[in-house]
Amino acid sequence: MKRLIELKFGTELATSITAGVITLRYNRFIEGNIPQEQIIRSQVRVLLDLAQKLSKALMDVEPFPFILEIGGQRSCFLPYITRPISTDKKKHEVVTIDDATCTLRTVESLVSIYRLEKNDALNRLKGVRKTLSLANNNPYCRARNQLASLALQAYANLFIYITAASAKELSQFDYEEGITITEDTLRKQLKAIKLRANGRVTKYTVGRKTGLKLLREYLKFRAWVVRGEQISQLFIGHGAGLNSITGLSKKFQSTLWPRVRDLYFEPSTANIPPKLARKIKSVVLHEIEHSLPVVSEVLNHTEEVNIRHYSHPSVDGQRREFGNYWAAVRKTAELIRDRDASGTQSIAAGHCDNINHPEPKEQLIPIQPVCESQLGCLYCMHYSCHADEEDTFKLLSLKYVIESVRAISVASALTTRLFKDLNIRLSEIISAIASKSAHTMAMVEKVKHRVFVLGELTPFWESRLQRYERMGIL
């Protein structure tokens, strides 16, 4: 747009026109949220079945029409260039072929079901038998080449998941390297040039188990497809007209996903592009407790890039984390005890049944319990409070102090994060006290007015607040 303005108004005037206009830059890391685990698994399952089962059927020259189980769905494969697959989600109605059984219909069924004249039924069956004969007698007919292109793209997409390489880098992988990897027990990496990293040569691990097995299967199918033709790229595809073999297109996913989605998924199901696949691999490696340097090295980027752009959990992971977190927060309501509970000692945040012996009640807590501080008392095994005005006053005084600290602009991000969790737990306890009865609800409201409107605090928290003021925190 800036260049167009220069052409229209000249460089000098264009500079004044565009001055102060904010440049919006594309963030190449933005690829949406990581899908639910079930969606990821189902997509991988469909791709794996198309790669393994379809490639085997093509190499065995399975006669059309034939049935394969793809992603848990019966799929009828037909000898046609357009819409060669019929599934429950997207049927290809062919009058002469019963896609439920993947067999030819009889003349009688065509006459009775489709109300065809007998001669018309005979002619249609004659035509489809000719089509089937031509396709079944030629292992490399256009219909099989169309299906072979689908299987080749499915294999390529699986190796994006395995290696976390981009489609552009995948198209650079060398065939001879692929052969070496399957024969050499030590080398298990493919190389590509990462252009956005100043031409740095990057290596992508295939893996000794699943990846190596899949690579061997792919090389066998690739050899069947090329029929001795020499092509330097490891991953290949069909050219225009399906009559030639070329290196894999860098944009192969733009044709693969619509074909797969329409057949096996709901229309709203989103694709998992290479960049998102890299995020998924990063999250999985972190979840199985690989160190940050290892994960960064596997994905060929820096630790900073991994933390900033590749460490977001999946939707399922977020749900689990939030579920665990709120379960722990709500459990704080169990800290409310009856006033007649014996053996407890009054402290600044409530009561304690074993003073000077702090013990964390959870493994991962933001503030460790230390009796001298009393900021971490709510995370201690020995902490309790009473649903009365005295302890409510203590809790609300503590809440006032931490909210005051969090509100100031000089508070560090760490302080804000630590106090945010404590504030949430305080709110949960106070809410639980208020919900006990109409009396306690009125009592909580009265103490809130006393603390947050009148500014009265307990002596301990008043002293702590003044200390923060002297330190320049407030």
Side-chain angles (χ1 to χ4, degrees), residues 90-232:
K90 191 172 182 65
K91 288 186 176 294
H92 182 185
E93 296 285 354
V94 180
V95 173
T96 52
I97 297 176
D98 182 357
D99 62 356
T101 59
C102 233
T103 56
L104 285 181
R105 298 186 192 274
T106 62
V107 173
E108 291 75 16
S109 64
L110 289 176
V111 171
S112 60
I113 297 173
Y114 290 96
R115 300 289 188 264
L116 298 180
E117 296 292 334
K118 187 173 182 179
N119 286 340
D120 187 14
L122 287 170
N123 287 332
R124 292 194 185 207
L125 284 172
K126 182 180 178 180
V128 77
R129 286 194 181 101
K130 182 179 179 180
T131 301
L132 289 171
S133 177
L134 290 172
N136 291 333
N137 289 314
N138 181 3
Y140 298 98
C141 66
R142 292 187 71 217
R144 290 186 188 274
N145 286 345
Q146 177 78 312
L147 292 173
S149 72
L150 180 61
L152 288 169
Q153 289 182 342
Y155 267 118
N157 212 117
L158 288 170
F159 278 98
I160 283 179
Y161 294 152
I162 291 170
T163 63
S166 68
K168 184 181 291 185
E169 290 163 330
L170 200 75
S171 65
Q172 296 179 34
F173 291 164
D174 186 73
Y175 170 67
E176 295 299 332
E177 265 190 349
I179 292 293
T180 304
I181 284 175
T182 59
E183 296 174 350
D184 191 330
T185 58
L186 297 178
R187 292 183 58 188
K188 294 292 170 279
Q189 292 180 321
L190 295 166
K191 291 183 291 186
I193 297 175
K194 200 168 188 176
L195 298 178
R196 66 174 182 266
N198 297 322
R200 178 167 59 91
V201 174
T202 55
K203 297 180 180 180
Y204 292 95
T205 303
V206 172
R208 295 180 182 276
K209 294 183 180 179
T210 306
L212 188 58
K213 175 178 177 292
L214 200 66
L215 181 59
R216 288 191 175 116
E217 292 175 359
Y218 168 73
L219 288 172
K220 182 180 178 182
F221 180 55
R222 182 188 184 280
W224 180 84
V225 171
V226 300
R227 289 180 283 174
E229 187 177 342
Q230 299 298 314
I231 300 176
S232 61

Side-chain angles (χ1 to χ4, degrees), residues 373-430:
S373 168
Q374 303 204 13
L375 282 172
C377 287
L378 269 66
Y379 303 98
C380 183
M381 289 286 294
H382 306 296
Y383 173 79
S384 66
C385 67
H386 303 137
D388 59 14
E389 187 168 342
E390 178 186 337
D391 280 2
T392 302
F393 188 31
K394 295 176 184 177
L395 292 171
L396 285 170
S397 295
L398 170 56
K399 186 175 175 64
Y400 182 90
V401 170
I402 63 174
E403 286 186 0
S404 297
V405 174
R406 287 187 65 208
I408 61 173
S409 59
V410 294
S412 69
L414 177 60
T415 301
T416 302
R417 187 166 63 251
L418 296 182
F419 281 179
K420 180 180 179 181
D421 183 88
L422 178 56
N423 198 20
I424 290 172
R425 290 173 186 257
L426 281 168
S427 297
E428 191 70 21
I429 294 176
I430 293 164

Side-chain angles (χ1 to χ4, degrees), residues 12 40 42 57 60 62 71 110 122 187 218 254 257 290 324 433 450:
E12 186 177 344
I40 298 171
S42 61
D60 293 343
E62 190 78 28
L110 289 176
L122 287 170
R187 292 183 58 188
Y218 168 73
S254 63
W257 177 242
H290 281 295
N324 294 338
I433 292 173
R450 181 181 173 188

Side-chain angles (χ1 to χ4, degrees), residues 38-55 57 66-78 83-92 99 102 147 150-151 154 255-271:
Q38 182 183 355
I39 294 175
I40 298 171
R41 286 183 178 276
S42 61
Q43 291 193 24
V44 171
R45 182 74 261 167
V46 167
L47 291 171
L48 197 58
D49 285 346
L50 285 173
Q52 294 178 315
K53 295 180 181 180
L54 181 55
S55 63
F66 58 88
I67 290 178
L68 294 176
E69 191 85 6
I70 304 295
Q73 295 186 51
R74 291 174 70 261
S75 305
C76 181
F77 290 81
L78 305 167
R83 297 175 61 191
I85 308 173
S86 179
T87 65
D88 290 337
K89 286 193 178 295
K90 191 172 182 65
K91 288 186 176 294
H92 182 185
D99 62 356
C102 233
L147 292 173
L150 180 61
T255 57
L256 170 64
W257 177 242
R259 296 166 74 182
V260 172
R261 180 191 57 205
D262 294 345
L263 292 167
Y264 300 104
F265 302 100
E266 297 301 325
S268 60
T269 305
N271 183 26

